Short mmCIF file of all heavy atoms in Angstrom, two decimals:
data_model
loop_
_atom_site.label_atom_id
_atom_site.label_comp_id
_atom_site.label_asym_id
_atom_site.label_seq_id
_atom_site.Cartn_x
_atom_site.Cartn_y
_atom_site.Cartn_z
N ASP A 1090 0.59 11.89 -1.26
CA ASP A 1090 -0.33 13.14 -1.04
C ASP A 1090 0.55 14.35 -1.58
O ASP A 1090 1.76 14.26 -1.71
CB ASP A 1090 -0.64 13.22 0.45
CG ASP A 1090 -1.59 12.16 0.93
OD1 ASP A 1090 -2.83 12.30 0.32
OD2 ASP A 1090 -1.17 11.46 1.82
N GLY A 1091 -0.18 15.40 -1.81
CA GLY A 1091 0.53 16.62 -2.05
C GLY A 1091 -0.40 17.64 -2.83
O GLY A 1091 -1.61 17.32 -3.11
N PRO A 1092 -0.09 18.88 -2.95
CA PRO A 1092 -0.92 19.88 -3.51
C PRO A 1092 -1.05 19.79 -5.01
O PRO A 1092 -0.35 19.09 -5.67
CB PRO A 1092 -0.15 21.16 -3.10
CG PRO A 1092 1.35 20.83 -3.11
CD PRO A 1092 1.36 19.42 -2.61
N ALA A 1093 -2.13 20.61 -5.48
CA ALA A 1093 -2.38 20.56 -6.95
C ALA A 1093 -1.14 21.03 -7.71
O ALA A 1093 -0.41 21.96 -7.35
CB ALA A 1093 -3.57 21.64 -7.24
N GLY A 1094 -0.82 20.30 -8.80
CA GLY A 1094 0.27 20.65 -9.69
C GLY A 1094 1.62 20.19 -9.24
O GLY A 1094 2.58 20.53 -9.95
N LYS A 1097 1.64 14.83 -9.13
CA LYS A 1097 1.18 13.61 -8.35
C LYS A 1097 0.52 12.70 -9.31
O LYS A 1097 0.91 11.52 -9.27
CB LYS A 1097 0.15 13.93 -7.37
CG LYS A 1097 0.63 14.05 -5.93
CD LYS A 1097 -0.57 14.34 -5.06
CE LYS A 1097 -1.82 14.87 -5.60
NZ LYS A 1097 -2.43 15.94 -5.44
N SER A 1098 -0.44 13.07 -10.09
CA SER A 1098 -1.12 12.09 -10.73
C SER A 1098 -0.48 11.40 -11.80
O SER A 1098 -0.49 10.06 -11.95
CB SER A 1098 -2.51 12.71 -11.35
OG SER A 1098 -2.28 13.88 -12.08
N ASP A 1114 -6.98 7.26 -7.89
CA ASP A 1114 -6.88 8.62 -7.85
C ASP A 1114 -8.07 9.30 -7.11
O ASP A 1114 -9.19 9.34 -7.62
CB ASP A 1114 -6.95 9.11 -9.32
CG ASP A 1114 -7.38 10.63 -9.49
OD1 ASP A 1114 -7.21 11.40 -8.61
OD2 ASP A 1114 -7.55 11.08 -10.69
N THR A 1115 -7.93 9.51 -5.81
CA THR A 1115 -8.93 9.89 -4.97
C THR A 1115 -9.61 11.25 -5.29
O THR A 1115 -10.85 11.47 -5.02
CB THR A 1115 -8.66 9.87 -3.44
OG1 THR A 1115 -7.63 10.85 -3.32
CG2 THR A 1115 -8.24 8.44 -3.19
N GLY A 1116 -8.84 12.09 -5.87
CA GLY A 1116 -9.45 13.34 -6.39
C GLY A 1116 -10.57 13.24 -7.35
O GLY A 1116 -11.51 14.04 -7.37
N ALA A 1117 -10.52 12.27 -8.20
CA ALA A 1117 -11.56 11.95 -9.17
C ALA A 1117 -12.93 11.72 -8.46
O ALA A 1117 -13.88 12.02 -8.90
CB ALA A 1117 -11.18 10.64 -9.85
N LEU A 1118 -12.84 11.14 -7.23
CA LEU A 1118 -14.10 10.89 -6.48
C LEU A 1118 -14.70 12.19 -6.00
O LEU A 1118 -15.99 12.36 -6.06
CB LEU A 1118 -13.80 9.90 -5.24
CG LEU A 1118 -13.02 8.68 -5.55
CD1 LEU A 1118 -12.82 7.89 -4.24
CD2 LEU A 1118 -13.82 7.76 -6.43
N TYR A 1119 -13.92 13.01 -5.46
CA TYR A 1119 -14.42 14.44 -5.00
C TYR A 1119 -14.89 15.24 -6.25
O TYR A 1119 -15.92 15.93 -6.21
CB TYR A 1119 -13.33 15.22 -4.30
CG TYR A 1119 -13.11 14.57 -2.94
CD1 TYR A 1119 -11.91 13.71 -2.79
CD2 TYR A 1119 -13.76 14.90 -1.78
CE1 TYR A 1119 -11.74 13.17 -1.53
CE2 TYR A 1119 -13.64 14.25 -0.59
CZ TYR A 1119 -12.62 13.43 -0.45
OH TYR A 1119 -12.28 12.88 0.70
N ARG A 1120 -14.23 15.11 -7.39
CA ARG A 1120 -14.68 15.61 -8.65
C ARG A 1120 -15.96 15.23 -9.00
O ARG A 1120 -16.92 15.95 -9.59
CB ARG A 1120 -13.56 15.43 -9.71
CG ARG A 1120 -12.36 16.25 -9.52
CD ARG A 1120 -11.18 15.89 -10.57
NE ARG A 1120 -10.03 16.75 -10.31
CZ ARG A 1120 -9.80 17.84 -10.86
NH1 ARG A 1120 -10.66 18.22 -11.83
NH2 ARG A 1120 -8.83 18.56 -10.56
N ARG A 1157 -5.21 7.49 -17.50
CA ARG A 1157 -5.86 7.29 -16.12
C ARG A 1157 -6.86 6.30 -16.22
O ARG A 1157 -7.71 6.22 -17.20
CB ARG A 1157 -6.52 8.57 -15.72
CG ARG A 1157 -5.76 9.77 -15.29
CD ARG A 1157 -6.82 10.87 -15.09
NE ARG A 1157 -6.10 12.18 -15.19
CZ ARG A 1157 -5.63 12.85 -14.19
NH1 ARG A 1157 -5.73 12.38 -12.99
NH2 ARG A 1157 -5.19 13.99 -14.33
N ILE A 1171 -15.18 15.33 -15.48
CA ILE A 1171 -14.61 15.64 -14.13
C ILE A 1171 -13.39 16.49 -14.22
O ILE A 1171 -12.98 16.99 -13.21
CB ILE A 1171 -14.44 14.37 -13.20
CG1 ILE A 1171 -13.39 13.38 -13.81
CG2 ILE A 1171 -15.85 13.71 -12.84
CD1 ILE A 1171 -12.91 12.39 -12.86
N ARG A 1172 -12.76 16.60 -15.40
CA ARG A 1172 -11.50 17.26 -15.58
C ARG A 1172 -11.82 18.69 -15.81
O ARG A 1172 -10.75 19.48 -15.98
CB ARG A 1172 -10.53 16.71 -16.58
CG ARG A 1172 -10.12 15.24 -16.32
CD ARG A 1172 -9.19 15.23 -15.11
NE ARG A 1172 -9.32 13.96 -14.44
CZ ARG A 1172 -9.03 13.74 -13.16
NH1 ARG A 1172 -8.45 14.70 -12.45
NH2 ARG A 1172 -9.10 12.53 -12.62
N ILE A 1176 -15.03 22.20 -12.27
CA ILE A 1176 -15.02 21.18 -11.32
C ILE A 1176 -13.89 21.00 -10.48
O ILE A 1176 -13.94 20.55 -9.39
CB ILE A 1176 -15.28 19.85 -12.16
CG1 ILE A 1176 -16.65 20.02 -12.96
CG2 ILE A 1176 -15.46 18.61 -11.38
CD1 ILE A 1176 -17.99 20.26 -12.12
N SER A 1177 -12.66 21.62 -10.91
CA SER A 1177 -11.57 21.54 -10.00
C SER A 1177 -11.79 22.28 -8.84
O SER A 1177 -11.55 21.89 -7.60
CB SER A 1177 -10.25 22.10 -10.66
OG SER A 1177 -9.93 21.38 -11.80
N GLN A 1178 -12.36 23.51 -8.98
CA GLN A 1178 -12.79 24.36 -7.91
C GLN A 1178 -13.88 23.74 -7.04
O GLN A 1178 -13.83 23.84 -5.86
CB GLN A 1178 -13.16 25.77 -8.30
CG GLN A 1178 -12.06 26.62 -8.88
CD GLN A 1178 -10.93 27.00 -7.90
OE1 GLN A 1178 -11.22 26.91 -6.61
NE2 GLN A 1178 -9.71 27.21 -8.30
N GLY A 1179 -14.87 23.21 -7.74
CA GLY A 1179 -16.04 22.57 -7.06
C GLY A 1179 -15.53 21.49 -6.21
O GLY A 1179 -15.98 21.28 -5.05
N ALA A 1180 -14.56 20.56 -6.63
CA ALA A 1180 -14.15 19.55 -5.90
C ALA A 1180 -13.39 19.93 -4.64
O ALA A 1180 -13.71 19.36 -3.51
CB ALA A 1180 -13.12 18.69 -6.77
N SER A 1181 -12.68 21.10 -4.77
CA SER A 1181 -11.91 21.61 -3.57
C SER A 1181 -13.09 22.09 -2.56
O SER A 1181 -12.84 21.88 -1.37
CB SER A 1181 -10.98 22.65 -4.17
OG SER A 1181 -10.49 23.36 -3.09
N GLN A 1182 -14.06 22.68 -3.09
CA GLN A 1182 -15.13 23.19 -2.17
C GLN A 1182 -15.99 21.99 -1.49
O GLN A 1182 -16.16 22.14 -0.31
CB GLN A 1182 -16.21 24.04 -2.97
CG GLN A 1182 -15.60 25.42 -3.20
CD GLN A 1182 -16.67 26.31 -3.90
OE1 GLN A 1182 -17.85 26.37 -3.53
NE2 GLN A 1182 -16.25 27.00 -4.92
N VAL A 1183 -16.49 21.20 -2.28
CA VAL A 1183 -17.29 19.98 -1.62
C VAL A 1183 -16.43 19.16 -0.72
O VAL A 1183 -16.76 18.56 0.22
CB VAL A 1183 -17.93 19.16 -2.72
CG1 VAL A 1183 -18.78 19.95 -3.56
CG2 VAL A 1183 -17.01 18.26 -3.60
N SER A 1184 -15.02 19.04 -0.96
CA SER A 1184 -14.23 18.20 -0.10
C SER A 1184 -13.94 18.82 1.18
O SER A 1184 -13.54 18.07 2.14
CB SER A 1184 -12.84 17.95 -0.86
OG SER A 1184 -12.12 19.17 -0.86
N ALA A 1185 -14.33 20.02 1.49
CA ALA A 1185 -14.21 20.56 2.76
C ALA A 1185 -15.43 20.23 3.73
O ALA A 1185 -15.21 20.29 4.94
CB ALA A 1185 -14.17 22.13 2.66
N ARG A 1190 -16.65 14.00 3.11
CA ARG A 1190 -15.51 13.19 3.34
C ARG A 1190 -15.81 11.77 4.05
O ARG A 1190 -15.34 10.75 3.72
CB ARG A 1190 -14.49 13.77 4.23
CG ARG A 1190 -14.05 15.31 3.75
CD ARG A 1190 -12.62 15.63 4.38
NE ARG A 1190 -11.64 14.96 3.67
CZ ARG A 1190 -11.04 15.18 2.50
NH1 ARG A 1190 -11.38 16.27 1.79
NH2 ARG A 1190 -10.22 14.60 1.97
N GLN A 1197 -12.87 4.50 -0.22
CA GLN A 1197 -11.46 4.45 -0.43
C GLN A 1197 -10.75 3.50 0.34
O GLN A 1197 -9.74 2.86 -0.14
CB GLN A 1197 -10.90 6.05 0.00
CG GLN A 1197 -11.44 7.06 -0.93
CD GLN A 1197 -11.09 8.45 -0.31
OE1 GLN A 1197 -9.92 8.84 -0.50
NE2 GLN A 1197 -12.02 9.09 0.42
N GLU A 1209 -3.53 8.11 -4.47
CA GLU A 1209 -3.07 9.42 -4.42
C GLU A 1209 -4.16 10.48 -4.11
O GLU A 1209 -5.30 10.37 -4.42
CB GLU A 1209 -2.26 9.94 -5.62
CG GLU A 1209 -3.19 9.64 -6.84
CD GLU A 1209 -3.27 11.10 -7.50
OE1 GLU A 1209 -3.37 12.16 -6.98
OE2 GLU A 1209 -3.54 11.05 -8.89
N GLY A 1210 -3.82 11.56 -3.30
CA GLY A 1210 -4.79 12.49 -2.85
C GLY A 1210 -4.21 13.55 -1.99
O GLY A 1210 -3.18 14.05 -2.18
N ARG A 1211 -5.01 13.94 -0.96
CA ARG A 1211 -4.49 14.87 0.03
C ARG A 1211 -4.32 14.47 1.41
O ARG A 1211 -3.59 15.03 2.18
CB ARG A 1211 -5.54 16.10 -0.02
CG ARG A 1211 -5.88 16.75 -1.26
CD ARG A 1211 -4.67 17.55 -1.86
NE ARG A 1211 -4.95 18.37 -3.05
CZ ARG A 1211 -5.30 17.90 -4.21
NH1 ARG A 1211 -5.08 16.65 -4.47
NH2 ARG A 1211 -5.42 18.80 -5.21
N ASP A 1212 -5.19 13.34 1.77
CA ASP A 1212 -5.20 12.95 3.14
C ASP A 1212 -4.99 11.45 3.28
O ASP A 1212 -5.47 10.81 4.07
CB ASP A 1212 -6.51 13.40 3.74
CG ASP A 1212 -7.67 12.63 3.03
OD1 ASP A 1212 -7.50 12.17 1.86
OD2 ASP A 1212 -8.81 12.43 3.68
N ILE A 1213 -4.45 10.88 2.26
CA ILE A 1213 -4.27 9.37 2.12
C ILE A 1213 -3.33 8.93 3.27
O ILE A 1213 -3.75 7.98 4.08
CB ILE A 1213 -3.82 8.82 0.72
CG1 ILE A 1213 -4.50 9.49 -0.42
CG2 ILE A 1213 -3.78 7.32 0.66
CD1 ILE A 1213 -6.02 9.35 -0.16
N VAL A 1217 -6.84 8.35 5.36
CA VAL A 1217 -7.50 7.20 4.70
C VAL A 1217 -6.71 5.91 5.01
O VAL A 1217 -7.42 4.94 5.33
CB VAL A 1217 -7.62 7.45 3.18
CG1 VAL A 1217 -8.24 6.21 2.44
CG2 VAL A 1217 -8.47 8.72 2.85
N ARG A 1238 0.82 23.22 -14.50
CA ARG A 1238 -0.63 23.11 -14.60
C ARG A 1238 -1.10 23.88 -15.97
O ARG A 1238 -1.85 23.51 -16.60
CB ARG A 1238 -1.17 23.79 -13.32
CG ARG A 1238 -2.64 23.85 -13.32
CD ARG A 1238 -3.28 22.81 -12.36
NE ARG A 1238 -4.69 22.84 -12.53
CZ ARG A 1238 -5.47 21.91 -13.07
NH1 ARG A 1238 -5.07 20.85 -13.46
NH2 ARG A 1238 -6.72 22.12 -13.12
N ARG A 1261 -6.98 27.00 -4.28
CA ARG A 1261 -7.17 25.59 -3.92
C ARG A 1261 -6.30 25.18 -2.72
O ARG A 1261 -6.61 24.54 -1.82
CB ARG A 1261 -6.85 24.70 -5.02
CG ARG A 1261 -8.10 24.60 -5.96
CD ARG A 1261 -8.26 23.17 -6.48
NE ARG A 1261 -7.43 22.93 -7.61
CZ ARG A 1261 -7.15 21.76 -7.96
NH1 ARG A 1261 -7.60 20.63 -7.41
NH2 ARG A 1261 -6.43 21.61 -9.08
N ASP A 1262 -4.96 25.71 -2.78
CA ASP A 1262 -4.11 25.39 -1.77
C ASP A 1262 -4.55 25.87 -0.35
O ASP A 1262 -4.49 25.16 0.71
CB ASP A 1262 -2.80 26.13 -1.87
CG ASP A 1262 -1.80 25.54 -2.88
OD1 ASP A 1262 -2.15 24.35 -3.37
OD2 ASP A 1262 -0.67 25.98 -3.30
N ARG A 1264 -7.68 26.58 0.44
CA ARG A 1264 -8.92 25.86 0.92
C ARG A 1264 -8.54 24.33 1.38
O ARG A 1264 -8.90 23.90 2.46
CB ARG A 1264 -9.84 25.73 -0.22
CG ARG A 1264 -11.40 25.69 0.33
CD ARG A 1264 -12.37 25.73 -0.76
NE ARG A 1264 -12.33 26.82 -1.67
CZ ARG A 1264 -12.17 26.64 -3.05
NH1 ARG A 1264 -11.71 25.55 -3.57
NH2 ARG A 1264 -12.22 27.79 -3.71
N ASP A 1265 -7.67 23.73 0.64
CA ASP A 1265 -7.28 22.33 1.02
C ASP A 1265 -6.45 22.19 2.28
O ASP A 1265 -6.51 21.21 2.92
CB ASP A 1265 -6.55 21.67 -0.29
CG ASP A 1265 -7.36 21.59 -1.50
OD1 ASP A 1265 -8.56 21.82 -1.32
OD2 ASP A 1265 -6.78 21.25 -2.57
N ARG A 1268 -8.92 23.68 5.72
CA ARG A 1268 -10.14 23.16 6.13
C ARG A 1268 -10.02 22.42 7.48
O ARG A 1268 -8.85 21.97 7.79
CB ARG A 1268 -10.80 22.27 4.97
CG ARG A 1268 -9.90 21.02 4.85
CD ARG A 1268 -10.57 20.09 3.74
NE ARG A 1268 -9.79 18.97 3.53
CZ ARG A 1268 -9.28 18.52 2.27
NH1 ARG A 1268 -9.80 19.11 1.23
NH2 ARG A 1268 -8.53 17.48 2.25
N VAL A 1270 -11.51 19.47 8.56
CA VAL A 1270 -11.43 18.09 8.50
C VAL A 1270 -10.39 17.58 7.48
O VAL A 1270 -10.38 18.10 6.29
CB VAL A 1270 -12.77 17.32 8.09
CG1 VAL A 1270 -13.53 16.91 9.36
CG2 VAL A 1270 -13.49 18.16 7.19
N ALA A 1271 -9.50 16.66 7.89
CA ALA A 1271 -8.51 16.05 6.98
C ALA A 1271 -7.78 17.10 6.04
O ALA A 1271 -7.92 16.85 4.79
CB ALA A 1271 -9.19 14.92 6.11
O1 DC B 290 -6.17 15.81 -7.18
P1 DC B 290 -7.34 16.63 -7.75
O2 DC B 290 -6.86 18.10 -8.31
O3 DC B 290 -8.12 15.87 -8.66
O4 DC B 290 -8.31 17.01 -6.35
C1 DC B 290 -9.46 17.78 -6.54
C2 DC B 290 -9.84 18.47 -5.14
O5 DC B 290 -10.22 17.27 -4.41
C3 DC B 290 -8.58 18.97 -4.46
O6 DC B 290 -8.62 20.28 -4.64
C4 DC B 290 -9.06 18.69 -3.00
C5 DC B 290 -9.95 17.37 -3.01
N1 DC B 290 -9.28 16.11 -2.62
C6 DC B 290 -9.33 15.94 -1.08
O7 DC B 290 -9.82 16.76 -0.44
N2 DC B 290 -8.80 14.83 -0.68
C7 DC B 290 -8.27 13.95 -1.51
N3 DC B 290 -7.81 12.70 -0.98
C8 DC B 290 -8.21 14.10 -2.89
C9 DC B 290 -8.77 15.34 -3.40
#
Side-chain angles (χ1 to χ4, degrees):
D1090 291 300
K1097 256 185 339 243
S1098 49
D1114 160 16
T1115 62
L1118 308 177
Y1119 292 94
R1120 286 170 179 272
R1157 293 177 201 263
I1171 61 167
R1172 296 294 148 201
I1176 299 303
S1177 299
Q1178 289 297 338
S1181 173
Q1182 283 185 41
V1183 302
S1184 71
R1190 306 206 71 83
Q1197 293 174 82
E1209 59 118 334
R1211 302 291 189 287
D1212 62 337
I1213 309 307
V1217 178
R1238 182 103 183 111
R1261 276 218 279 164
D1262 278 359
R1264 213 180 298 115
D1265 296 348
R1268 67 179 175 228
V1270 266

